[in-house]
Amino acid sequence: METARTVGAGVSRAESDVLEGFEGSWRVIRTGGPLLPPMWGVWKHVRPGGGGVTHFPAKIALPFHLEGRGETVDLCYEAPFRTLVDHLRLLTPDLIDGVATVGGRVYGRFEMRRLARD
């Protein structure tokens, strides 16, 4: 069974290659789910090494880190929002499919479209 691997120092080459596709800036678009609000003005920035920030209107920013899980990547928010985890799947170099969860329960679906190549 595949276990989670937190990205950072000591990341394997294979895992680094998987996460490389997630680096950059992404516009977030709500695609479904009764509890996920509209995502106007929301974007995520993933830095090399797997850390990043989700930006909301009114200059609100939530930091996160990525954890590789085989074919998917979990975007895990930092305290005090640790119960929020987005499960991400890279569909193309410029499109990511996302599932938003809280405490392991799905509350919405979204996609991320690359803003520009950094």
Side-chain angles (χ1 to χ4, degrees), residues 37-93:
M39 306 299 283
W40 300 305
V42 177
W43 62 283
K44 297 179 187 286
H45 181 75
V46 180
R47 295 183 302 270
V53 178
T54 299
H55 298 271
F56 296 89
K59 299 185 180 179
I60 297 169
L62 299 178
F64 61 78
H65 66 276
L66 299 181
E67 293 181 0
R69 294 199 178 269
E71 300 214 0
T72 64
V73 169
D74 286 353
L75 185 152
C76 305
Y77 287 95
E78 304 295 340
F81 300 103
R82 287 195 176 127
T83 60
L84 299 175
V85 177
D86 295 340
H87 304 291
L88 307 178
R89 187 167 44 100
L90 191 64
L91 300 177
T92 72

Side-chain angles (χ1 to χ4, degrees), residues 87-116:
H87 304 291
L88 307 178
R89 187 167 44 100
L90 191 64
L91 300 177
T92 72
D94 297 322
L95 180 63
I96 295 172
D97 179 54
V99 176
T101 67
V102 62
R105 296 185 183 266
V106 174
Y107 70 92
R109 298 185 180 280
F110 61 95
E111 65 182 27
M112 294 167 45
R113 293 192 176 266
R114 189 177 297 279
L115 289 171

